């Protein structure tokens, strides 16, 4: 299933706003199930399973564990549980957008919306920045593992100074270097050209885009229906 970049950003925006207005677990499961399906379609099996299992675990904690805890402890755990669970669909859609969208396709799609050029360029640079940063992070972790330093919470608790010196400092330097390199590459490709840009990418809405947008509109209608009826869905 190939979706238009505009559709991906639209459903990400809808999810980011609607998921915090929703109080129904049923609707919340729908918000999570669709990104899982999209990631599986994109063959991102590890990412889909990781977020799917995390969502199920957090949901089970709310339904079965929190009720057996003291009120104060249960309230604190419930607050973190719910907010983390509501962010999971946003993280999945963001990952789906980044890993399945080429920068050239992204620029071709958003140039048709006649948005401010600075906004479009910022989004396209961000789209390229995170995968490069993740790759650099894996290199740094491998280098530190050779020195016997684990870039994890346990490693930070055991060697906080060494983690900051050997892991986070190189990470900050790499982040600055990568941002400069991406900016220079974009300028070299003529991203700041003031005239009309030509593009070899074919971007258009398909039946899949219409179906996904219709589903999300239906979910929004369910949220409003649930709100007006005073919580029909559990």
């Amino acid at each position: 299933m190939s979706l238009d970049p505009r559709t991906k950003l639209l459903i990400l925006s809808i999810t980011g706003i609607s998921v915090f207005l929703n109080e129904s677990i049923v609707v919340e499961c729908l918000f999570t199930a669709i990104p899982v399906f999209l990631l599986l379609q994109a063959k991102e099996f590890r990412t889909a399973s990781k977020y799917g299992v995390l969502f199920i675990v957090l949901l089970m904690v709310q339904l079965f564990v929190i009720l057996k805890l003291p009120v104060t402890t249960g309230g604190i755990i419930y607050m973190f549980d719910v907010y983390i669970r509501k962010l999971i669909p946003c993280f999945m859609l963001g990952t789906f957008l980044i890993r399945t969208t080429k920068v050239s396709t992204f620029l071709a799609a958003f140039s048709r919306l006649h948005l401010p050029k600075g906004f479009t360029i910022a989004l396209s640079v961000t789209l390229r920045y995170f995968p490069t940063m993740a790759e650099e992070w894996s290199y740094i972790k491998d280098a530190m593992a050779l020195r016997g330093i684990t870039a994890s919470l346990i490693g930070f608790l055991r060697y906080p100074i060494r983690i900051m010196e050997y892991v986070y400092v190189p990470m900050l330097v790499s982040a600055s270097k990568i941002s400069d390199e991406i900016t220079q590459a974009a300028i070299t490709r003529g991203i700041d050209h003031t005239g009309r840009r030509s593009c070899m990418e074919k971007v258009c809405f398909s039946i899949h885009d219409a179906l996904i947008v219709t589903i999300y509109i239906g979910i929004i209608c369910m949220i409003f229906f649930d709100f007006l009826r005073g919580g029909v869905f559990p």
Side-chain angles (χ1 to χ4, degrees), residues 23-43:
E23 297 180 357
S24 169
I25 295 179
V26 174
V27 176
E28 189 176 337
C29 290
L30 289 176
F31 271 125
T32 305
I34 297 174
V36 168
F37 172 75
L38 293 175
L39 286 171
L40 291 176
Q41 285 287 320
K43 298 183 179 180

Side-chain angles (χ1 to χ4, degrees), residues 24-125:
S24 169
I25 295 179
V26 174
V27 176
E28 189 176 337
C29 290
L30 289 176
F31 271 125
T32 305
I34 297 174
V36 168
F37 172 75
L38 293 175
L39 286 171
L40 291 176
Q41 285 287 320
K43 298 183 179 180
E44 295 287 344
F45 302 112
R46 181 178 179 182
T47 303
S49 59
K50 179 179 65 175
Y51 282 115
V53 170
L54 177 60
F55 178 83
I56 293 174
V57 169
L58 293 175
L59 185 60
M60 294 300 103
V61 169
Q62 177 184 344
L63 295 179
F64 300 106
V65 177
I66 292 179
L67 296 176
K68 299 180 181 180
L69 297 175
V71 177
T72 304
T73 305
I76 296 174
I77 296 177
Y78 174 82
M79 180 180 65
F80 284 101
D81 182 281
V82 170
Y83 275 93
I84 293 173
R85 205 172 66 233
K86 287 181 179 295
L87 288 173
I88 289 177
C90 301
F91 288 147
M92 285 194 289
L93 288 175
T95 303
F96 176 71
L97 171 65
I98 291 173
R99 295 186 180 178
T100 61
T101 307
K102 296 188 297 183
V103 177
S104 57
T105 306
F106 185 87
L107 285 174
F110 278 85
S111 62
R112 300 183 182 182
L113 297 179
H114 304 289
L115 296 172
K117 198 167 184 178
F119 176 75
T120 305
I121 292 175
L123 284 178
S124 61
V125 171

Side-chain angles (χ1 to χ4, degrees), residues 146-195:
L146 296 176
R147 300 186 178 186
I149 303 174
T150 304
S152 62
L153 179 60
I154 297 177
F156 179 78
L157 294 176
R158 292 183 61 186
Y159 310 106
I161 304 299
R162 293 176 65 186
I163 289 291
M164 292 181 63
E165 181 179 358
Y166 296 134
V167 178
Y168 294 121
V169 172
M171 193 69 179
L172 293 175
V173 174
S174 297
S176 176
K177 181 181 178 181
I178 289 172
S179 62
D180 291 338
E181 291 176 351
I182 292 178
T183 302
Q184 293 171 7
I187 294 174
T188 303
R189 295 183 180 185
I191 200 171
D192 58 344
H193 179 57
T194 56

